[in-house]
């Protein structure tokens, strides 16, 4: 009888798991296509926001799988009381799993930035293992509510990669995934498809709205976010220090008056000095 050592069995099991996940994905894809054909006329009558999404979710796992080198990446569309979001999970050959979460508005900005990173990567010279560049080749930071996302393109002896980190402005929790640079194009393509197919308007609005800003003064952080509710658009200004967070909301109709008051104080202080 041929006995396999544990180290020989692990790669075989990983291949079996990968094949099973791919077969499951295509089974759900075909099943959902048949379901849509049979119920297409009924879906057209349902115009309420989110109704179609929930009906889809009952029959299909809304996801994409991307295979890169020895890693698998899954992109899942989910929804809770706060809205829809995308879960990005990185699964190593050993089964280790890292994941980050993004709202659709954040995912749209991430996808847009990813295109710029792809163009930048294509213009780089070939990797030289004997002369590696220290630090980030390219970086970008995105702010969304109480979260901050870092995009850092780096290189090491094994190649170039994109590190995507999700951190909270309150506390020190950090989650991150590592995307091989050669696979950024395929990753962005699949992410873009999910956004185009399941966005309910949040992603489109985020791309056209002013970008969130961050300002650090002494030992405090200030975050400026443009948001919208039933009363209209407003600016949220948050002061964050450690686990403490305090916010004020300024309606769009008062932005100019708010700015004028601040300008007046700045002028008075300068004249007094």
């Amino acid at each position: 009888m041929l006995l396999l050592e544990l180290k020989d069995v692990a790669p075989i099991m990983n291949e079996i798991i990968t094949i099973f996940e791919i077969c499951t994905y295509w089974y759900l894809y075909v099943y959902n296509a048949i379901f849509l054909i049979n119920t297409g006329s009924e879906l057209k009558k349902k115009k309420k926001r989110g109704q179609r999404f929930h009906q889809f979710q009952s029959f299909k796992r809304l996801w994409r799988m991307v295979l890169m080198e020895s890693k698998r990446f899954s992109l899942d569309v989910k929804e809770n009381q706060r809205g829809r979001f995308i879960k990005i999970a990185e699964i190593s050959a050993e089964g280790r799993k890292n994941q980050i979460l993004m709202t659709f508005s954040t995912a749209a900005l991430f996808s847009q930035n990813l295109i710029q990173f792809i163009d930048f990567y294509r213009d780089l010279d070939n990797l030289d293992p004997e002369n590696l560049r220290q630090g980030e080749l390219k970086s970008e930071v995105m702010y969304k509510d109480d979260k901050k996302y870092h995009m850092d393109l780096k290189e090491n002896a094994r190649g170039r990669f994109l590190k995507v980190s999700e951190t909270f402005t309150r506390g020190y929790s950090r989650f991150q995934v590592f995307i091989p640079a050669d696979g950024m194009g395929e990753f962005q393509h699949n992410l873009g498809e999910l956004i185009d197919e399941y966005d309910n308007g949040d992603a489109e609005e985020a791309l056209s709205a002013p970008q969130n800003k961050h300002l650090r003064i002494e030992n405090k952080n200030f975050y400026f976010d443009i948001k919208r509710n039933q009363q209209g658009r407003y600016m949220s200004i948050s002061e964050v220090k450690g686990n403490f967070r305090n916010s004020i909301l300024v309606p769009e109709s008062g932005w100019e008056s708010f700015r004028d008051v601040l300008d007046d104080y700045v002028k008075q202080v300068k004249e007094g000095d």
Side-chain angles (χ1 to χ4, degrees):
M1 179 180 294
L2 179 62
L3 297 178
L4 296 178
E5 295 182 2
L6 182 60
K7 65 178 181 179
D8 297 323
V9 174
I12 298 175
M13 292 302 299
N14 285 326
E15 291 297 328
I16 294 175
I17 294 173
T18 300
I19 294 173
F20 175 77
E21 290 182 341
I22 294 175
C23 292
T24 302
Y25 168 79
W26 284 110
Y27 168 78
L28 293 172
Y29 183 87
V30 173
Y31 187 93
N32 186 66
I34 296 174
F35 170 74
L36 290 178
I37 293 174
N38 294 334
T39 61
S41 58
E42 295 182 6
L43 287 174
K44 291 180 181 179
K45 298 178 182 179
K46 300 182 181 297
K47 298 181 180 179
K48 291 185 178 180
R49 181 176 178 178
Q51 192 167 0
R52 184 181 178 190
F53 178 85
H54 290 300
Q55 194 158 3
F56 279 4
Q57 201 169 25
S58 300
F59 292 89
K60 174 190 174 185
R61 186 184 180 201
L62 306 175
W63 74 334
R64 296 288 188 276
M65 178 182 291
V66 184
L67 305 178
M68 300 182 196
E69 300 176 356
S70 60
K71 298 180 179 181
R72 302 191 305 274
F73 291 86
S74 66
L75 310 176
D76 295 79
V77 177
K78 297 183 176 292
E79 186 171 44
N80 57 23
Q81 294 180 346
R82 300 180 62 181
R84 298 179 192 174
F85 62 94
I86 296 179
K87 182 177 75 172
I88 301 174
E90 170 197 358
I91 308 169
S92 68
E94 296 78 19
R96 293 192 301 271
K97 186 175 182 179
N98 299 318
Q99 67 181 34
I100 60 175
L101 306 179
M102 291 184 179
T103 62
F104 262 71
S105 57
T106 303
L109 295 176
F110 173 64
S111 179
Q112 187 179 65
N113 289 335
L114 196 52
I115 294 175
Q116 300 176 6
F117 274 74
I118 293 170
D119 293 338
F120 176 84
Y121 170 68
R122 289 172 178 169
D123 293 336
L124 291 175
D125 296 332
N126 292 332
L127 179 70
D128 182 5
E130 302 298 328
N131 187 26
L132 296 174
R133 294 174 59 178
Q134 301 298 320
E136 293 79 19
L137 304 176
K138 181 177 175 61
S139 296
E140 186 68 45
V141 181
M142 303 178 296
Y143 299 95
K144 180 62 178 177
D145 295 331
D146 60 343
K147 292 183 180 181
K148 179 168 61 173
Y149 295 86
H150 291 267
M151 298 175 64
D152 300 309
L153 182 63
K154 299 185 174 185
E155 67 181 19
N156 57 26
R158 292 178 295 178
R160 290 172 174 144
F161 59 94
L162 177 66
K163 184 177 76 171
V164 185
S165 305
E166 173 193 11
T167 60
F168 292 82
T169 55
R170 289 179 290 179
Y172 302 96
S173 299
R174 175 183 288 263
F175 306 94
Q176 50 194 17
V177 297
F178 298 85
I179 304 171
D182 288 338
M184 290 191 298
E186 184 180 0
F187 188 96
Q188 192 278 330
H189 173 74
N190 283 273
L191 178 63
E193 282 188 343
L194 286 177
I195 294 173
D196 292 340
E197 188 169 358
Y198 299 110
D199 176 38
N200 56 10
D202 292 340
E204 183 178 356
E205 182 177 348
L207 293 177
S208 59
Q211 299 302 303
N212 297 340
K213 300 293 184 180
H214 166 247
L215 182 63
R216 183 172 180 83
I217 302 176
E218 297 178 358
N219 62 343
K220 295 182 179 181
N221 291 287
F222 295 88
Y223 296 90
F224 300 80
D225 304 315
I226 304 300
K227 301 181 179 181
R228 184 185 296 274
N229 58 21
Q230 295 179 346
Q231 285 72 41
R233 193 158 54 174
Y234 63 94
M235 179 188 303
S236 172
I237 304 176
S238 301
E239 172 194 353
V240 179
K241 180 182 178 182
N243 291 324
F244 171 80
R245 183 186 185 96
N246 191 27
S247 301
I248 62 170
L249 308 181
V250 184
E252 184 177 12
S253 59
W255 290 357
E256 292 185 358
S257 299
F258 190 90
R259 179 201 59 195
D260 292 342
V261 171
L262 184 59
D263 286 343
D264 186 52
Y265 274 116
V266 173
K267 291 177 182 179
Q268 290 184 39
V269 172
K270 287 185 176 181
E271 291 173 357
D273 294 341

